[in-house]
Amino acid sequence: MKFCRFVPLDPSLSAPPRYGILDGDRVREISAPPWNHDRPDQPPQSFRDWRLHDVRLVAPVDPPKIVCIGRNYAAHAAELGNEVPKEPLMFLKPSSSIVGPEEPIVLTRYSQRVDHEGELAIVIGRRCAHLRDSDDALAAVLGYTCLNDVSARDLQKSDVQFSRAKGFDTFCPVGPHIETQLDPANTLVETRVNGDLRQSANTSLMVYPCAFLIRWISRMMTLHPGDLIATGTPAGVGPLLPGHVVEVSIAGIGVLRNPVHAPQAQ
């Protein structure tokens, strides 16, 4: 099942984004976020049908928090001269950094090197905290989506923490929708810039797999429905420039496409 958020293109129907279920070239609007009910494997009531070309998809989640994992692929850690962490390297991105499919990534004048980082993202569907090793962590998952952990690389290197480098507005494209049927342990993650392949790796190469990450994070902070977990990026990160178009594709989900714009005038 594919969950999405959308806005009608008809300006007379302007309203906050609505949730829906993608089904071919149609979107079935649903009455509430897909996690706001007792059965995350079954959607809320559907009450209107839209043609896909009559709506614009936006980021499929508006998360309470975005938890990110760094250096979760050994080859990516090595390309930046880092060792694989002995425990997951965790940081947060602000929800204000989120944009949806086709929305621009706006570079910042405070950085001379902004990189793409295509990733598989987990969307939490059930509240969970203090999970044990014996708990089925994936039972807390609603589904998965594509995410681009855009990073000001020079600021990341100069700062002790990652907050500034990772937290600029538009530095967290997410979408195009949430896929509920996916094997997170064996799926291909790729990133292309202007059609050129830059990143390509299977999630089987993750140092810490998705189920482990959910358990580990839950022991430090409660995970709530709608939370996002960005699971780390493969090797091949590289710079983004104005005029670029970056695409994060994940087999079984789809393609998250965003143009890159120059910094806004101050």
Side-chain angles (χ1 to χ4, degrees):
M1 190 174 294
K2 303 179 189 299
F3 291 112
C4 66
R5 285 171 80 229
F6 68 94
V7 293
L9 292 178
D10 185 342
S12 68
L13 299 174
S14 60
R18 312 171 187 207
Y19 288 91
I21 300 170
L22 278 175
D23 186 7
D25 62 353
R26 313 292 294 188
V27 177
R28 288 187 286 126
E29 184 178 346
I30 55 178
S31 57
W35 46 81
N36 280 6
H37 56 101
D38 294 334
R39 293 286 304 276
D41 58 324
Q42 297 180 2
Q45 180 182 1
S46 175
F47 60 89
R48 183 167 180 177
D49 190 71
W50 299 78
R51 294 182 298 179
L52 185 57
H53 70 256
D54 289 334
V55 304
R56 178 174 63 87
L57 296 183
V58 299
V61 287
D62 183 15
K65 56 181 172 291
I66 308 165
V67 186
C68 302
I69 302 298
R71 304 172 193 168
N72 200 24
Y73 291 79
H76 170 59
E79 75 178 342
L80 297 183
N82 299 308
E83 295 182 356
V84 173
K86 293 182 174 60
E87 292 185 305
L89 175 62
M90 183 175 67
F91 58 93
L92 301 175
K93 288 176 84 87
S95 58
S96 55
S97 65
I98 283 188
V99 291
E102 303 297 338
E103 293 187 76
I105 298 166
V106 181
L107 303 178
T108 172
R109 63 189 180 93
Y110 298 107
S111 172
Q112 302 304 307
R113 167 74 183 256
V114 173
D115 285 3
H116 60 79
E117 294 191 9
E119 309 191 9
L120 174 70
I122 302 166
V123 182
I124 296 297
R126 297 177 180 174
R127 181 187 181 278
C128 59
H130 305 290
L131 294 180
R132 299 163 297 184
D133 289 345
S134 58
D135 290 331
D136 179 9
L138 297 184
V141 174
L142 172 71
Y144 305 88
T145 191
C146 307
L147 183 146
N148 192 345
D149 177 22
V150 181
S151 305
R153 192 67 66 203
D154 48 354
L155 300 183
Q156 183 183 7
K157 290 180 179 179
S158 65
D159 292 356
V160 175
Q161 299 183 20
F162 293 176
S163 298
R164 181 166 67 135
K166 306 276 193 173
F168 287 97
D169 289 351
T170 77
F171 273 28
C172 191
V174 178
H177 55 261
I178 301 166
E179 175 58 60
T180 62
Q181 301 298 317
L182 188 79
D183 178 4
N186 182 28
T187 193
L188 183 65
V189 178
E190 295 187 320
T191 304
R192 289 174 171 83
V193 176
N194 290 353
D196 295 331
L197 184 64
R198 288 194 177 178
Q199 294 180 277
S200 181
N202 194 288
T203 55
S204 62
L205 297 175
M206 285 182 183
V207 178
Y208 301 104
C210 291
F212 180 96
L213 292 175
I214 294 167
R215 291 189 194 97
W216 190 82
I217 294 168
S218 79
R219 294 166 185 173
M220 283 156 280
M221 60 186 73
T222 299
L223 291 168
H224 293 280
D227 279 346
L228 270 178
I229 299 175
T231 59
T233 196
V237 299
L240 296 174
L241 299 174
H244 279 173
V245 175
V246 57
E247 295 174 312
V248 177
S249 64
I250 297 179
I253 299 178
V255 179
L256 169 65
R257 181 182 183 275
N258 298 92
V260 181
H261 289 188
Q264 296 177 342
Q266 299 295 318

